[in-house]
Amino acid sequence: MVDQATLNELVAIVGKENVFTSKISLNTYMYDASLVYGRPEVIVYVKNRQEIASILKLASIKKIPVTPRGGGTCLSGGAVPQRGGIVMVMTKMNRILEVDPENRVAVVEPGVTNMELQKAVAPYGLVYMPDPASQKVSTMGGNLGENSGGMRGIKYGLTKDHIIGMELVLSSGEIVQIGGKLEPIAQELNLNAIIIGSEGNLGVATKIICKLTPAPKANRTMLASYNTLEDAGTTVSAIIAHGIIPCTLELMDNKIINAVEDWLHIGLPTRAGAILLIEVDGWDAGLDRQAQQIMAICRENGATDVKLAQNARERDNLWTARRMAIGAIGRLAPNYDMEDATVPRTKLPLILKEVDRLSKEYNVPIGMLAHAGDGNLHPLVLFDERNKEEMARVEKVRAALFRYALDLGGTLSGEHGIGLAKLDFVPWAFNQQELQFLRRERLAFDPSDTLNAGKTVPETAA
């Protein structure tokens, strides 16, 4: 419990202007982009590593839960203060500390947004490759915590492939350095791999060292239309089987297509059952041949129409359509739940068919997005959370979706994390020995069990 004495200590650490306890402030930070809610006791904005260290040390001694928070775009309840306590907001730590084009690295604070980093490195001809659709507002600290991916993941990987070091504050208040600018040749344990994707359970990153990539010299972007989702899903495996790795391979179904087109009016094929947005990049020489190969594969696998973007405007329209798809869904229902169950790409047609079946069985509209090249589904389940009977059907759809994904050899999450929203399904994915191991790993970093506690690993794993 956060008592008056604790509030006084927090004010002494960060200043009165950075501590909030009003009802409106607490309500503002009781949720993230998921459907999970909590009740914080105090909101604290931090500006540097020493403030974070002091807060975590205080919280550890007093056994007060601390929930680190960036932009609040989490889709699994990762930024929700389930146990009350302190919400520690990182958005004031928003400096780009260094761009080193010679070593192709950038050093940023956790409150920097993904898009701000992209813009900062672009003048050097460099790119930070992970590109979540929320990149305008999602922070690098959150990207690190959730191991975010994005549309370029099929070729360039996820956050774990592009962060090579960090400064980390442990729950005890200790400040440690992990990795560094020369991390690929360092003789040390790869602790980056443990921290990235740990959802804020193991420590709070205060500096993040990002690997940068030379911007591709050219690209070719295609739109393939299909009568069915299954045909689109089959095409994905066929493209990869031919030895072609696009930089993006995205799927949208008819509900998403029409929602986007009704909003943006950019000429999407509204009668198509599904579309694939496909892009290849690299040196200009050879890209036309790759594009023609892909277009031929699409036609061989049931595409009714395949178009190649003829200029930058057409390309930008296609990717605007994909990036705005989630926002467009807001026009269709009061609420949506976007999951990210992931399956082997060869099983993509099966799970797409199953999602359609679940939608009909439970009478719940579902729009389908997918980072199809990774087998990473983003089904958008549409509903009104005020309708309790409908909510019960939505929960049945979620459970059935995750069970089927696991049965196909997939995972509960491709990039959104477990958080609170998927906690009940974790025992389906791990046996008791594995859960106990994960629990011990967490407690090794956070013995007081205060740092984003109650998430990721069920408490029964103790």
Side-chain angles (χ1 to χ4, degrees):
M1 180 178 176
V2 178
D3 56 18
Q4 187 59 51
T6 302
L7 288 176
N8 293 341
E9 290 182 80
L10 291 172
V11 168
I13 293 168
V14 300
K16 186 177 181 180
E17 69 279 9
N18 290 305
V19 177
F20 300 90
T21 57
S22 68
K23 182 177 180 180
I24 191 169
S25 296
L26 299 181
N27 287 347
T28 299
Y29 290 94
M30 67 185 291
Y31 59 90
D32 58 11
S34 70
L35 295 172
V36 183
Y37 300 91
R39 176 64 65 177
E41 296 173 75
V42 59
I43 313 302
V44 180
Y45 280 77
V46 291
K47 303 182 293 301
N48 56 60
R49 67 178 187 175
Q50 195 54 56
E51 290 180 351
I52 293 172
S54 297
I55 290 170
L56 294 187
K57 183 177 181 180
L58 172 67
S60 179
I61 293 170
K62 294 194 171 188
K63 306 294 185 185
I64 299 171
V66 178
T67 304
R69 182 184 176 103
T73 61
C74 318
L75 287 155
S76 60
V80 173
Q82 182 213 26
R83 295 182 175 180
I86 301 165
V87 170
M88 188 167 64
V89 185
M90 317 288 289
T91 51
K92 289 189 176 183
M93 295 183 66
N94 58 1
R95 295 179 299 162
I96 296 174
L97 301 172
E98 181 183 4
V99 176
D100 180 350
E102 293 181 346
N103 288 303
R104 294 179 184 168
V105 298
V107 183
V108 303
E109 291 184 325
V112 171
T113 67
N114 183 287
M115 180 63 79
E116 287 168 342
L117 175 58
Q118 305 284 5
K119 289 180 177 179
V121 303
Y124 301 95
L126 298 170
V127 182
Y128 176 71
M129 280 300 178
D131 63 334
S134 59
Q135 64 181 176
K136 290 183 179 179
V137 288
S138 66
T139 62
M140 291 298 297
N143 287 185
L144 182 155
E146 302 293 348
N147 191 25
S148 299
M151 294 186 286
R152 294 191 287 239
I154 179 176
K155 180 175 181 179
Y156 294 105
L158 308 178
T159 296
K160 65 182 175 61
D161 303 300
H162 299 272
I163 289 179
I164 58 175
M166 69 191 77
E167 180 182 81
L168 192 73
V169 183
L170 303 178
S171 66
S172 63
E174 296 172 87
I175 300 172
V176 297
Q177 178 73 33
I178 294 173
K181 292 174 71 172
L182 298 178
E183 189 269 345
I185 59 173
Q187 298 293 322
E188 61 179 41
L189 292 172
N190 183 12
L191 293 175
N192 286 321
I194 296 176
I195 302 300
I196 297 169
S198 64
E199 303 187 40
N201 293 156
L202 308 183
V204 178
T206 52
K207 292 181 184 177
I208 303 169
I209 305 172
C210 307
K211 180 173 70 176
L212 306 176
T213 303
K217 300 299 181 184
N219 51 62
R220 301 290 185 274
T221 308
M222 293 146 274
L223 171 67
S225 304
Y226 295 84
N227 288 327
T228 69
L229 274 169
E230 290 85 352
D231 285 345
T234 300
T235 301
V236 173
S237 293
I239 291 171
I240 306 302
H242 277 74
I244 303 170
I245 308 296
C247 64
T248 49
L249 185 44
E250 298 289 301
L251 180 146
M252 300 167 61
D253 78 349
N254 182 262
K255 283 188 180 67
I256 305 293
I257 294 166
N258 279 275
V260 173
E261 183 61 21
D262 287 347
W263 185 17
L264 299 179
H265 307 292
I266 57 179
L268 294 180
T270 55
R271 294 185 179 181
I275 59 174
L276 289 177
L277 300 178
I278 310 165
E279 185 166 285
V280 289
D281 67 359
W283 295 96
D284 196 57
L287 285 186
D288 285 331
R289 181 172 175 272
Q290 272 195 6
Q292 291 303 319
Q293 283 182 296
I294 289 172
M295 294 168 76
I297 294 167
C298 291
R299 294 187 184 98
E300 290 167 5
N301 286 275
T304 57
D305 187 37
V306 188
K307 294 180 179 178
L308 180 69
Q310 298 300 309
N311 51 52
R313 182 175 179 274
E314 289 186 8
R315 174 181 181 266
D316 289 346
N317 278 345
L318 291 176
W319 293 120
T320 296
R322 173 58 184 86
R323 291 194 183 280
M324 300 301 289
I326 298 170
I329 283 295
R331 298 160 58 90
L332 303 185
N335 302 96
Y336 68 83
D337 178 51
M338 184 169 71
E339 300 300 348
D340 68 324
T342 301
V343 299
R345 68 173 66 92
T346 55
K347 303 296 178 67
L348 195 58
L350 290 175
I351 198 163
L352 291 172
K353 186 175 181 179
E354 176 66 6
V355 170
D356 184 59
R357 188 192 70 78
L358 291 172
S359 176
K360 293 173 181 175
E361 178 181 348
Y362 292 101
N363 191 28
V364 174
I366 303 176
M368 178 59 74
L369 285 171
H371 301 314
D374 298 329
N376 187 347
L377 303 176
H378 285 353
L380 290 123
V381 184
L382 308 177
F383 57 93
D384 184 342
E385 67 176 333
R386 295 167 294 186
N387 184 331
K388 301 304 179 185
E389 187 273 334
E390 186 176 44
M391 282 298 298
R393 285 184 278 123
V394 168
E395 290 302 323
K396 290 179 180 179
V397 168
R398 293 182 72 240
L401 170 65
F402 287 125
R403 175 64 78 182
Y404 194 72
L406 292 171
D407 288 346
L408 292 178
T411 67
L412 295 175
S413 175
E415 58 180 335
H416 296 167
I418 300 299
L420 294 169
K422 301 171 191 169
L423 203 58
D424 290 343
F425 308 122
V426 172
W428 297 356
F430 300 95
N431 62 38
Q432 277 302 308
Q433 289 75 26
E434 291 165 339
L435 289 171
Q436 288 168 5
F437 172 76
L438 293 172
R439 182 72 176 156
R440 289 197 303 270
E441 176 196 43
R442 174 181 174 151
L443 292 175
F445 279 82
D446 179 20
S448 61
D449 198 19
T450 55
L451 193 49
N452 221 14
K455 301 171 186 174
T456 310
V457 181
E459 296 300 314
T460 53

